[in-house]
Amino acid sequence: MSRRDPSPESALSDEPLRIGRHEFRSRLLLGTGKYPSHDVMRACHEAAATECVTVAVRRVDLSGREKSLLDWIDRGRITLLPNTAGCFTVEDALRTARLGREAGLSELVKLEVLADPGTLLPDPVATLEATRQLVKEGFVVLAYCSDDPILARHLEQAGAAAVMPLGSPIGSGQGINNPRNIRLIKDSLRVPVLVDAGVGTPSDVTLAFELGIDGVLLNSAIALARDPVRMAAAMHHAALAGRHGFLAGRIAVTEHGRASSPESGKIAAATR
Amino acid sequence: MSRRDPSPESALSDEPLRIGRHEFRSRLLLGTGKYPSHDVMRACHEAAATECVTVAVRRVDLSGREKSLLDWIDRGRITLLPNTAGCFTVEDALRTARLGREAGLSELVKLEVLADPGTLLPDPVATLEATRQLVKEGFVVLAYCSDDPILARHLEQAGAAAVMPLGSPIGSGQGINNPRNIRLIKDSLRVPVLVDAGVGTPSDVTLAFELGIDGVLLNSAIALARDPVRMAAAMHHAALAGRHGFLAGRIAVTEHGRASSPESGKIAAATR
Amino acid sequence: MSRRDPSPESALSDEPLRIGRHEFRSRLLLGTGKYPSHDVMRACHEAAATECVTVAVRRVDLSGREKSLLDWIDRGRITLLPNTAGCFTVEDALRTARLGREAGLSELVKLEVLADPGTLLPDPVATLEATRQLVKEGFVVLAYCSDDPILARHLEQAGAAAVMPLGSPIGSGQGINNPRNIRLIKDSLRVPVLVDAGVGTPSDVTLAFELGIDGVLLNSAIALARDPVRMAAAMHHAALAGRHGFLAGRIAVTEHGRASSPESGKIAAATR
Amino acid sequence: MSRRDPSPESALSDEPLRIGRHEFRSRLLLGTGKYPSHDVMRACHEAAATECVTVAVRRVDLSGREKSLLDWIDRGRITLLPNTAGCFTVEDALRTARLGREAGLSELVKLEVLADPGTLLPDPVATLEATRQLVKEGFVVLAYCSDDPILARHLEQAGAAAVMPLGSPIGSGQGINNPRNIRLIKDSLRVPVLVDAGVGTPSDVTLAFELGIDGVLLNSAIALARDPVRMAAAMHHAALAGRHGFLAGRIAVTEHGRASSPESGKIAAATR
Amino acid sequence: MSAPITIEINGEARTLRAPLTVRELLTELALPVERLAIELNRGLLPRTEFERALADGDRLEIVTFVGGG
Amino acid sequence: MSAPITIEINGEARTLRAPLTVRELLTELALPVERLAIELNRGLLPRTEFERALADGDRLEIVTFVGGG
Amino acid sequence: MSAPITIEINGEARTLRAPLTVRELLTELALPVERLAIELNRGLLPRTEFERALADGDRLEIVTFVGGG
Amino acid sequence: MSAPITIEINGEARTLRAPLTVRELLTELALPVERLAIELNRGLLPRTEFERALADGDRLEIVTFVGGG
C-alpha cells in the first residue's frame, strides 16, 4: 500500500443496486406512510439519501381538497415503487398492480398479498401465484414474502426481479428474527434480496446488510420515530455501515480474548 | 415544520464527547496495534475520522532501527491515549501509566489491569485500587472494566473520568454480550461510558450506541478485517448510525404487525 | 389450598397428545436413525419414555442378512410413524407414503418433501400439494414444514392432522431459530403443532414447549450425543419441564430487580 | 452395550452436590419467600424435591401471633440456608450472618451484600470483604455475586465454599443474560458454581445446567408463578434435563442440515 | 338531449348528464389526468380509452398514489 | 413348463422360472410378508394381490422399515 | 426489690421489672428459645449467656427465620 | 578519568565509560529525547533530571509508544 492513503470515499466504492432496468446508488428504500407531515417525509427522504420510495394505490379524493403526495417527492432523484399494500387476495393484488402501473407509468411493483389484517403476514401461496401472473404481464416484481428460503427460490423461479423477505412482521420493530434464513436466501438466489418489514433500529439495518443482502426497505422505523429526520439520517449511515462491513470481511469470533498490544517489550515486571 | 427541509447535516447535530479537558467530535476511539502496516493504520484512522487513539508503552528499540509509530499519527487532529495494556499488577500499571504520561506529556491514561494472559479479563479489585492511586497523582483515568454495574459505580466514585466496560473479551469479536448491563451502567453514571473491547462488526458498534453510551473503543475489528480501511469507514458510519438512532428515539416493539399503508380508500374488494 | 399437599404426580396432570385416533401420554416423538446400535436405540426409547417413533421406508435387503429394526421396537407401547424422508418430489413422497401404509398397516404418515439434499429444507409448495392428495387417500398426515405461519395455516386447511414446523434445519442442532413464529403458528392453529428438526439440547426442547406447542420430534440430538441414553433421559425431563412450565404460567419479565425477602423487620441498620 | 437396556434411573446416575460438609442429591435450591401460603410453599418444596432452602433473618414478631415458617419445612430432608438478604453494608451482612448461625445452629450462610434497593445488584467490593471476614469466623460462605469471572475467582481465593453468580437481577425473570460469563466462571473455579437470581422459566434452568454449573437457586419463578406447585415440578425436571444434557454431551451445531434417514436404499425416483 | 345516467364512482352513486366521456368526467371532477388510473367495471381502463362514453350503471374506480410502506 | 422370465427387483435384474406369483417370490427370497410392501411397475401392489403371477419385464420395489428421523 | 428498667426490644422501648435475665424475658414474651437469636447492644449474645441480667438502656434485637429468597 | 560502569538498560547489561549522564547516554544511543520516558531503578526519572550521572549497577527502563489497542 502506498503512502498516499485512500480517502474514506474510495474506501466506500460499491456497485449500484440493480433491479430490472433500474440502478440505485442508495440501498435503502423508504416508504411514504405515517409521517407527521409531507414536509417531514421529504426531509427524511433527503436525510436518508434514498432513491426509491414505495407508494400505495388508493381511491382519489373526489373533493379534490387533498394535495398530492407526489408534490413532496423529487421524481428526478427518486423512483416511485407502487405497492399492493393491503391486498388479501390474488385478484385485488393484480388489479392494484395494474392500476399502479397505469398511474405511475412504471412497470415496477412491490407485490404484497397478505394473509389477514391481524398478522399482516404475506401469504406464500397467493404471492407465488400473483408473481407468476404479473411477470406474464410484463411487470418487474419485487415480491414481499416470509423468510422461508425455499419459497424465496420459487419466487425467483417464477420470475421475480427481487425477493423481499421480512425481518419480522410489518411495523413490529422486532428486527431480524431469523438471520440464518436471510443469509440462506441470499446465498441461494441470483436476483437481489431486500429485507422488507420489521426493522426497528439502525442496528437492525446494519445487521441485515452484514448478512450480505442487497437492500433494505423500511417505513415505520423512520416515520414513527420521535425525531424522524434524525432517524432517517441514522438509517442512511446504518446501511453504509452494514454494507461495507460485509464487504470488508469481519474478524472471526473466538471464545477467548486476543491481545491488541504486543506481548514483548514490556518493562521488567514488579516482583509481586 | 417549515418547508425549508432540514439537511442531513443539521439532522446530525450532536454535542462533543468530553473527557477531562478534552473534547472529541468523533465518538469512535481506535487502537494502533495489529495493522498490516503503519500506512494502513493511518488510512484507517482517516477513514474512521477518529480523534483519539490508544498507544501502548514498551521498551524502546535500542538498535534505533524501528521507525516511530507517531510518524503515522497526525497529532494535530488525533489525541494520544497511552494505555497500560499487558499489565497484570497494580504496580506495573502505575509504573506504565507514569512512563506514558512522561513520554506523552498528557495526563490521559487508559487503565488496564488484567487478571491473566489467558482470558485477558480486567481485574476489578486491582483496577479499582489503581484508579484511586492514579487519580491521586492527577491522571485523567479511563478505566477499562467488566460490565458489572456496581463496579462501574465504584470506579466513578474513585474518580475515573470515564468508565469503559467491555462488550466481550478483548479481540474476541463476540460483540456486546450483555446489553442490559451496559445500559444499566450508562443510566447510573454521570461520567462518560465507553464500550471497550469485544466489538467485531459495525452492527455491534451501532447497537452499543443505541444503548445510550458515549463512545466506543475498538482495534482488532478494524486492524484484522480483510479490508481494514473499508471496515474503518464502516465503523465510522456505524457509530453515527447508533448515536443518532439513540437520539432519534426508536419505535416501540410490538408482538404483531402494524400496517404502513392506509386501511381506507381501498378499491372495492373482489368477491372471493 | 388444603394442608394435604399435592404430590408432584398430581402437579403434573396433563391431557394426552391426540393425533387422529391416536393418543400419546408422552409428547416426545423420537427417530430411529443414526444410533450407535439397535440396543442403544431401544434403551433411548425407554429412557425417553416415548410412545411414537418415526421410521423410514427403504428397499428390503435381499440378502436377508439384515435384522429387522422392528425387533428392537416394543410395538405394544410404541406407535410407528412411517415418514417420507429423503423424498424430493410430490410423486416420490406419495409412493413412499403408500408403501409405508401398506407395510405398517397404519394410516399415519410424517410427510417430508424436501427441496434439495443440500439444505434438506422442506418445499412449501410440494408439501402442500402432497398433503392435499394424501388426505384425499385417507392418510393422517403430520406435515413437516418451515416456520412460515401462513403456510402452516394452509396445511391445516388442506387437512393435515398435525403441523410440524422446523426449529432449524434437520440435524443442525441450531435449536429454535424463530420462537415468535412457532408461537404464532401455535396460536392460529387448531390441530396439534409439533416442533420437528433442529433441536440440539434439552433446553431447546424445554423452550419449544414453553411456547405452547404440543409436541417435539427429534432424532440426531439423542442418537449422536456422546451418551445417547443419558441424553434421552434428559430430553424426557426437558419435555416435562417445558410443558408444565407453560401450563404453570411463568412470571413476567421486569427490567429491574424485585426483592424475594421482606423489606420489613430488618435489624436496625448499622450507622454507616 | 449389552442387550439388558439401562433403565432411565441408571441413565441418570450423578454425584451429589457438595458444599462444605453438606451433600445434596438435588441440585435445585429454593427460597421460602413470596408464596401464596406456607402450604403452597411446602408443596412446592416437595414437588421440586429440593434438599436446601434459603431463609431470611428478621425481627421476631413480639405479639407471638405469627406461626413459625419452620413448621412448614421438613428439617429431616431439607437443610436451612440462612441468607443476608436486604443487607446493604458489610457490617449489617456480618451481623445478620452471625444471628442466622446462632438461630440455625448451622455454619452455612448465603451472603448477599447489595448495592442499593433499586437494582438489588450485589456490591462486588463489599461482598469480597464480607466473605473474607465470615470465612475467618468459620462460616461456610455461599457468595452471591455478579457474573464477573475475575470477581468470582477473588471470592474463591477469599475462601468462599461456593460462588453464586446471578443470571440476571433478583426476581427479574430475565434468565441468563450472559451464558459465556457463567461458563467462564465454572471453567476457572474449583468450588461449586450455582446460578442464583434472575431465573424465570424452566428453560432458563435447563440452559444454566447445560453450561456445566453445579446448581441453581431460585425463588420468585416458582413462588409467583400462576400455578406454583406445577412450576416447582417443572423446575425439578428442568434441572435434571440440563444437568444430564450437560453430562451426555450435546451434538455439534452445524450451519446446514444433516439427514437423519439413510441416503441409500431409496425406491427408484420418479422421472420428473 | 339524452336522459341522465347514474354511475358509481369509488363506491358513491352519482347522477350525471349524458353523453359524458371519462375524460369529461375527470375534467368535471377537476382531477389531474396524469397521476391517476381508472378501472371501469373491474377492468383496467387505459388512458387511450378515456374518450369512451360512460353508460348508465357503470362502476368506476379512480385511484392515485398515497403514502404507504 | 414355460420359459424363464426376467424381472427387476429393487433395481437388480433377476431371471426366474415361470409361472411365479409374488407370494412365491417372497418365499423364495425368504422375506417375511408382514413387514414389507411392494410396488409393481410404479403402482402399489396390495397384499390381497400377492397371488398375482409375475410377467417378464415386471419391475418390483420391495420395501420395509429402516431407521430414520 | 430494685427499680424498673427501660430497654429497647426490636426498636420498641419497654419498661420492665428488674432484675430480669434474657431467658426470663423470653419466657415473659412467650418466645421459643430454640429458633431465635439475640443481639445485645449490637453484639451477638450467645445462648450460653442468656442468664445474663438486663440493664437499663440495653438494646436488644431478637430475630428468627422468615421466608426469603 | 574514572573506571567504566556497568548498567542495565531494558534488561541488557552494558559497560560504559564514566562519568555519563542520562542525557549523554540517550545521545550515545541516538534516541530522541522527546518521545520517550525513563525509569531509573524502578522509579520514574523526570526529564528535568536527565543531567543526573549514572552510577554502576543502575537499572534503566527506556520506553516509548508502540502500537496497541
Side-chain angles (χ1 to χ4, degrees):
Chain A
M1 183 167 182
S2 93
R3 250 166 167 306
R4 269 172 286 87
D5 302 334
S7 67
E9 288 62 38
S10 66
L12 289 176
S13 61
D14 191 9
E15 59 196 3
L17 168 62
R18 293 187 181 79
I19 299 172
R21 56 176 183 72
H22 298 268
E23 287 201 354
F24 306 106
R25 280 158 306 156
S26 164
R27 293 173 174 275
L28 201 57
L29 287 66
L30 299 192
T32 54
K34 304 170 111 182
Y35 287 89
S37 74
H38 285 348
D39 286 330
V40 171
M41 177 192 79
R42 180 170 56 186
C44 288
H45 290 174
E46 265 194 36
T50 186
E51 294 176 349
C52 183
V53 302
T54 57
V55 289
V57 175
R58 291 287 184 273
R59 285 168 166 177
V60 68
D61 166 43
L62 293 176
S63 75
R65 258 184 266 89
E66 267 177 25
K67 304 208 67 177
S68 169
L69 171 81
L70 302 186
D71 295 338
W72 277 262
I73 298 175
D74 174 354
R75 304 287 298 273
R77 291 193 299 100
I78 298 179
T79 300
L80 290 188
L81 173 58
N83 68 39
T84 63
C87 293
F88 296 101
T89 64
V90 171
E91 182 182 345
D92 289 345
L94 297 179
R95 289 168 59 207
T96 304
R98 291 165 188 146
L99 284 164
R101 172 160 65 177
E102 191 68 11
L105 310 169
S106 157
E107 76 295 350
L108 285 173
V109 62
K110 177 191 161 189
L111 175 64
E112 281 185 36
V113 192
L114 306 183
D116 64 87
T119 64
L120 296 174
L121 291 174
D123 183 321
V125 177
T127 301
L128 187 54
E129 181 184 338
T131 298
R132 287 201 182 92
Q133 180 57 36
L134 289 173
V135 167
K136 267 208 209 83
E137 298 182 16
F139 282 89
V140 173
V141 178
L142 291 75
Y144 172 62
C145 55
S146 77
D147 63 5
D148 180 328
I150 307 308
L151 172 66
R153 281 191 215 171
H154 281 295
L155 290 167
E156 179 179 67
Q157 285 155 15
V163 174
M164 307 182 80
L166 51 72
S168 50
I170 293 174
S172 70
Q174 291 171 13
I176 313 297
N177 280 343
N178 194 342
R180 279 185 168 117
N181 268 3
I182 299 296
R183 182 183 278 117
L184 263 175
I185 290 172
K186 175 55 192 174
D187 293 347
S188 61
L189 263 54
R190 281 169 307 286
V191 298
V193 174
L194 289 77
V195 166
D196 185 1
V199 162
T201 64
S203 57
D204 293 336
V205 170
T206 305
L207 177 64
F209 278 102
E210 285 170 357
L211 297 171
I213 51 101
D214 303 286
V216 168
L217 191 157
L218 57 86
N219 185 54
S220 301
I222 288 176
L224 299 180
R226 194 176 61 235
D227 178 347
V229 182
R230 187 184 291 271
M231 187 59 86
M235 291 296 186
H236 166 64
H237 289 289
L240 290 173
R243 172 66 177 170
H244 293 287
F246 168 72
L247 295 173
R250 68 157 294 161
I251 58 172
V253 173
T254 61
E255 235 4 81
H256 296 296
R258 296 175 300 183
S260 299
S261 302
E263 291 308 299
S264 62
K266 293 185 197 174
I267 57 177
T271 48
R272 308 190 186 193
Chain B
M1 183 169 182
S2 94
R3 249 169 167 307
R4 268 172 289 87
D5 302 334
S7 67
E9 287 62 37
S10 65
L12 289 176
S13 62
D14 191 10
E15 59 195 3
L17 167 62
R18 293 187 180 79
I19 299 174
R21 56 176 184 71
H22 299 267
E23 287 199 356
F24 306 107
R25 280 158 306 155
S26 164
R27 293 172 174 275
L28 201 56
L29 287 67
L30 299 192
T32 54
K34 303 170 112 182
Y35 287 89
S37 75
H38 285 348
D39 287 330
V40 171
M41 177 191 79
R42 181 170 57 185
C44 289
H45 290 175
E46 267 194 34
T50 186
E51 295 177 349
C52 183
V53 302
T54 57
V55 289
V57 174
R58 291 289 184 271
R59 284 170 166 175
V60 69
D61 165 45
L62 294 177
S63 75
R65 258 182 264 90
E66 270 176 23
K67 303 207 70 177
S68 168
L69 171 80
L70 303 186
D71 295 338
W72 277 262
I73 298 175
D74 173 354
R75 304 287 297 272
R77 292 192 298 99
I78 298 178
T79 301
L80 289 189
L81 173 57
N83 68 38
T84 63
C87 293
F88 297 100
T89 64
V90 171
E91 182 182 346
D92 289 344
L94 297 178
R95 290 168 59 205
T96 303
R98 292 164 187 149
L99 285 164
R101 172 159 66 175
E102 191 68 11
L105 311 168
S106 155
E107 76 294 353
L108 286 173
V109 62
K110 177 191 161 191
L111 175 65
E112 279 185 38
V113 193
L114 305 182
D116 64 87
T119 65
L120 296 174
L121 292 173
D123 184 321
V125 177
T127 301
L128 186 55
E129 181 185 339
T131 298
R132 288 202 181 93
Q133 180 57 34
L134 290 173
V135 168
K136 268 210 208 83
E137 298 182 15
F139 282 88
V140 173
V141 179
L142 291 75
Y144 172 62
C145 56
S146 78
D147 64 6
D148 180 328
I150 308 307
L151 172 65
R153 281 191 215 173
H154 281 295
L155 290 167
E156 179 179 66
Q157 286 155 14
V163 174
M164 307 181 81
L166 51 71
S168 50
I170 293 175
S172 70
Q174 292 170 13
I176 314 297
N177 280 343
N178 194 342
R180 279 186 168 115
N181 267 3
I182 299 296
R183 182 183 280 117
L184 262 176
I185 290 173
K186 174 57 192 172
D187 293 348
S188 61
L189 263 54
R190 281 169 307 284
V191 299
V193 174
L194 289 77
V195 165
D196 184 1
V199 162
T201 63
S203 57
D204 293 337
V205 170
T206 305
L207 176 64
F209 277 102
E210 286 170 357
L211 297 171
I213 52 101
D214 304 285
V216 168
L217 191 157
L218 58 85
N219 185 57
S220 302
I222 289 176
L224 299 181
R226 196 178 60 236
D227 178 347
V229 182
R230 186 183 291 271
M231 187 59 86
M235 291 297 187
H236 167 64
H237 289 288
L240 290 172
R243 172 64 177 171
H244 293 286
F246 169 73
L247 295 173
R250 69 157 293 162
I251 58 172
V253 174
T254 61
E255 237 359 85
H256 296 298
R258 295 175 301 183
S260 300
S261 301
E263 290 308 300
S264 63
K266 293 185 196 174
I267 57 177
T271 48
R272 308 189 187 195
Chain C
M1 182 169 182
S2 93
R3 246 163 170 311
R4 269 173 286 86
D5 303 334
S7 67
E9 287 60 39
S10 66
L12 289 176
S13 61
D14 191 10
E15 60 195 3
L17 167 62
R18 293 187 180 79
I19 299 173
R21 56 174 184 71
H22 298 267
E23 287 199 355
F24 305 106
R25 280 159 305 156
S26 164
R27 293 172 175 275
L28 201 56
L29 286 66
L30 299 192
T32 54
K34 303 169 112 181
Y35 287 88
S37 74
H38 285 349
D39 287 329
V40 172
M41 179 191 76
R42 181 170 55 186
C44 289
H45 289 175
E46 266 193 37
T50 187
E51 295 176 348
C52 183
V53 303
T54 57
V55 289
V57 175
R58 293 289 184 269
R59 285 169 166 174
V60 70
D61 167 44
L62 293 176
S63 75
R65 257 182 266 89
E66 270 177 23
K67 303 208 69 176
S68 168
L69 172 79
L70 302 187
D71 294 338
W72 276 263
I73 298 175
D74 174 354
R75 302 288 298 274
R77 290 193 297 100
I78 298 178
T79 301
L80 288 189
L81 173 58
N83 68 40
T84 63
C87 293
F88 297 101
T89 64
V90 171
E91 183 182 345
D92 289 346
L94 297 179
R95 291 167 58 205
T96 303
R98 292 164 187 148
L99 285 164
R101 173 161 63 177
E102 192 67 12
L105 311 169
S106 155
E107 75 295 350
L108 286 173
V109 63
K110 178 190 161 191
L111 176 64
E112 280 184 39
V113 193
L114 306 182
D116 64 87
T119 64
L120 296 175
L121 292 174
D123 184 322
V125 177
T127 301
L128 187 55
E129 181 185 339
T131 298
R132 289 201 181 93
Q133 181 56 36
L134 289 173
V135 168
K136 269 210 209 83
E137 298 181 17
F139 282 89
V140 172
V141 179
L142 290 74
Y144 172 61
C145 56
S146 78
D147 64 5
D148 180 328
I150 308 307
L151 172 65
R153 281 191 215 171
H154 281 294
L155 290 167
E156 179 179 67
Q157 285 154 15
V163 174
M164 307 180 81
L166 51 72
S168 50
I170 294 175
S172 69
Q174 292 171 13
I176 313 297
N177 280 342
N178 194 342
R180 279 186 168 116
N181 267 4
I182 299 296
R183 183 184 279 114
L184 263 176
I185 290 173
K186 174 57 192 172
D187 292 348
S188 60
L189 263 53
R190 280 170 308 285
V191 298
V193 174
L194 288 77
V195 166
D196 184 2
V199 161
T201 63
S203 57
D204 293 336
V205 170
T206 307
L207 177 64
F209 277 102
E210 285 170 357
L211 297 170
I213 52 101
D214 304 286
V216 168
L217 191 157
L218 58 85
N219 185 57
S220 301
I222 289 176
L224 299 180
R226 195 178 59 234
D227 178 347
V229 182
R230 186 184 291 271
M231 186 59 87
M235 291 298 187
H236 166 65
H237 289 288
L240 290 172
R243 172 63 177 172
H244 293 286
F246 168 73
L247 295 173
R250 68 158 294 162
I251 58 172
V253 174
T254 61
E255 241 353 271
H256 296 296
R258 296 175 300 183
S260 300
S261 301
E263 290 308 300
S264 63
K266 293 185 197 174
I267 57 177
T271 48
R272 306 189 187 194
Chain D
M1 181 168 185
S2 95
R3 248 165 168 309
R4 270 172 287 87
D5 302 334
S7 67
E9 287 60 41
S10 65
L12 289 175
S13 61
D14 192 9
E15 59 195 4
L17 167 61
R18 293 187 180 80
I19 298 174
R21 57 175 184 73
H22 299 268
E23 287 200 354
F24 306 106
R25 279 158 306 155
S26 164
R27 292 171 175 275
L28 201 57
L29 288 65
L30 299 192
T32 54
K34 303 169 110 182
Y35 287 88
S37 74
H38 284 348
D39 287 330
V40 172
M41 177 190 78
R42 182 171 55 186
C44 288
H45 290 174
E46 266 193 37
T50 186
E51 294 176 348
C52 183
V53 302
T54 57
V55 289
V57 174
R58 291 289 184 272
R59 284 169 166 176
V60 69
D61 167 44
L62 294 177
S63 74
R65 257 182 268 89
E66 267 176 26
K67 303 208 68 177
S68 169
L69 171 80
L70 302 188
D71 295 338
W72 278 261
I73 299 174
D74 174 355
R75 304 288 298 275
R77 290 193 299 100
I78 299 178
T79 300
L80 289 188
L81 173 57
N83 69 39
T84 63
C87 293
F88 297 100
T89 64
V90 172
E91 182 182 345
D92 288 345
L94 298 179
R95 290 168 58 206
T96 304
R98 291 164 188 149
L99 284 164
R101 172 161 63 177
E102 192 68 11
L105 312 168
S106 156
E107 76 295 350
L108 286 173
V109 63
K110 178 191 161 190
L111 175 65
E112 280 185 37
V113 193
L114 306 181
D116 65 86
T119 64
L120 295 175
L121 292 174
D123 184 322
V125 177
T127 301
L128 186 55
E129 181 185 339
T131 298
R132 288 201 182 94
Q133 179 58 34
L134 289 173
V135 168
K136 268 208 209 84
E137 299 181 15
F139 282 89
V140 173
V141 179
L142 291 73
Y144 172 62
C145 56
S146 77
D147 64 4
D148 180 329
I150 308 307
L151 172 65
R153 281 192 216 171
H154 281 295
L155 290 167
E156 179 179 66
Q157 286 154 14
V163 174
M164 307 182 81
L166 51 72
S168 49
I170 293 174
S172 70
Q174 291 171 14
I176 313 296
N177 280 342
N178 194 342
R180 278 186 169 115
N181 267 4
I182 299 296
R183 183 184 277 115
L184 263 176
I185 291 172
K186 175 55 192 174
D187 292 348
S188 61
L189 263 52
R190 280 170 306 285
V191 298
V193 174
L194 288 76
V195 166
D196 184 1
V199 161
T201 64
S203 57
D204 293 336
V205 170
T206 306
L207 177 64
F209 277 102
E210 286 170 356
L211 298 171
I213 51 102
D214 304 285
V216 168
L217 190 157
L218 58 86
N219 184 55
S220 301
I222 288 176
L224 299 180
R226 195 178 60 235
D227 178 347
V229 182
R230 186 183 291 272
M231 186 60 86
M235 292 296 186
H236 166 64
H237 289 289
L240 290 173
R243 172 64 177 171
H244 293 285
F246 169 72
L247 294 174
R250 67 157 294 162
I251 58 172
V253 173
T254 62
E255 235 3 83
H256 296 298
R258 295 175 300 185
S260 300
S261 302
E263 291 309 299
S264 63
K266 293 185 196 173
I267 57 178
T271 48
R272 306 190 186 193
Chain E
M1 181 61 195
S2 75
I5 55 173
T6 298
I7 67 176
E8 184 184 304
I9 308 177
N10 291 356
E12 304 170 16
R14 297 206 174 198
T15 301
L16 303 159
R17 63 167 175 74
L20 184 72
T21 67
V22 171
R23 186 178 304 283
E24 288 164 346
L25 172 65
L26 294 178
T27 312
E28 208 154 283
L29 294 171
L31 295 175
V33 171
E34 63 284 349
R35 286 167 175 175
L36 47 76
I38 297 179
E39 227 187 27
L40 173 59
N41 303 328
R42 284 291 153 81
L44 183 73
L45 187 77
R47 296 172 185 290
T48 53
E49 302 180 20
F50 279 10
E51 307 313 329
R52 171 171 179 165
L54 290 161
D56 190 61
D58 277 346
R59 293 165 60 195
L60 286 178
E61 292 280 356
I62 311 178
V63 305
T64 186
F65 292 130
V66 303
Chain F
M1 181 62 193
S2 76
I5 56 173
T6 297
I7 67 175
E8 185 185 303
I9 308 177
N10 292 357
E12 303 170 18
R14 297 206 175 197
T15 301
L16 303 160
R17 62 169 177 72
L20 185 71
T21 68
V22 171
R23 186 176 304 281
E24 288 165 346
L25 174 64
L26 295 179
T27 311
E28 207 154 286
L29 295 170
L31 295 175
V33 171
E34 63 285 347
R35 287 167 174 176
L36 47 75
I38 297 179
E39 228 187 26
L40 174 58
N41 303 327
R42 283 293 152 81
L44 183 73
L45 187 75
R47 294 172 186 288
T48 53
E49 300 180 23
F50 280 9
E51 305 315 328
R52 172 170 179 163
L54 290 162
D56 190 60
D58 278 345
R59 292 165 59 195
L60 287 178
E61 292 281 354
I62 310 177
V63 305
T64 187
F65 292 129
V66 303
Chain G
M1 182 59 193
S2 75
I5 55 174
T6 298
I7 67 175
E8 184 185 303
I9 308 176
N10 291 358
E12 304 169 18
R14 297 206 174 197
T15 301
L16 304 159
R17 63 168 176 74
L20 184 72
T21 66
V22 171
R23 186 177 303 283
E24 289 165 346
L25 173 65
L26 293 179
T27 311
E28 206 154 286
L29 295 171
L31 294 176
V33 171
E34 63 285 348
R35 286 168 176 176
L36 48 76
I38 297 179
E39 224 186 29
L40 174 57
N41 302 327
R42 284 294 152 80
L44 184 73
L45 187 76
R47 297 171 185 289
T48 53
E49 301 180 22
F50 280 9
E51 306 316 328
R52 171 171 178 164
L54 290 161
D56 190 61
D58 278 346
R59 293 165 59 195
L60 287 178
E61 292 281 356
I62 311 178
V63 305
T64 185
F65 292 130
V66 302
Chain H
M1 182 62 193
S2 74
I5 56 174
T6 297
I7 67 175
E8 186 185 301
I9 307 177
N10 292 355
E12 305 170 18
R14 295 207 175 198
T15 301
L16 302 159
R17 62 166 176 76
L20 184 72
T21 68
V22 172
R23 186 176 305 281
E24 288 165 345
L25 172 64
L26 294 179
T27 312
E28 206 154 284
L29 295 170
L31 295 175
V33 172
E34 62 285 348
R35 287 168 175 176
L36 48 76
I38 298 180
E39 226 187 28
L40 174 58
N41 303 327
R42 284 291 153 82
L44 183 73
L45 186 76
R47 295 171 185 290
T48 54
E49 301 179 23
F50 279 10
E51 306 315 328
R52 169 170 180 165
L54 291 161
D56 191 62
D58 278 345
R59 292 166 59 194
L60 286 179
E61 292 282 355
I62 311 178
V63 305
T64 186
F65 292 129
V66 304

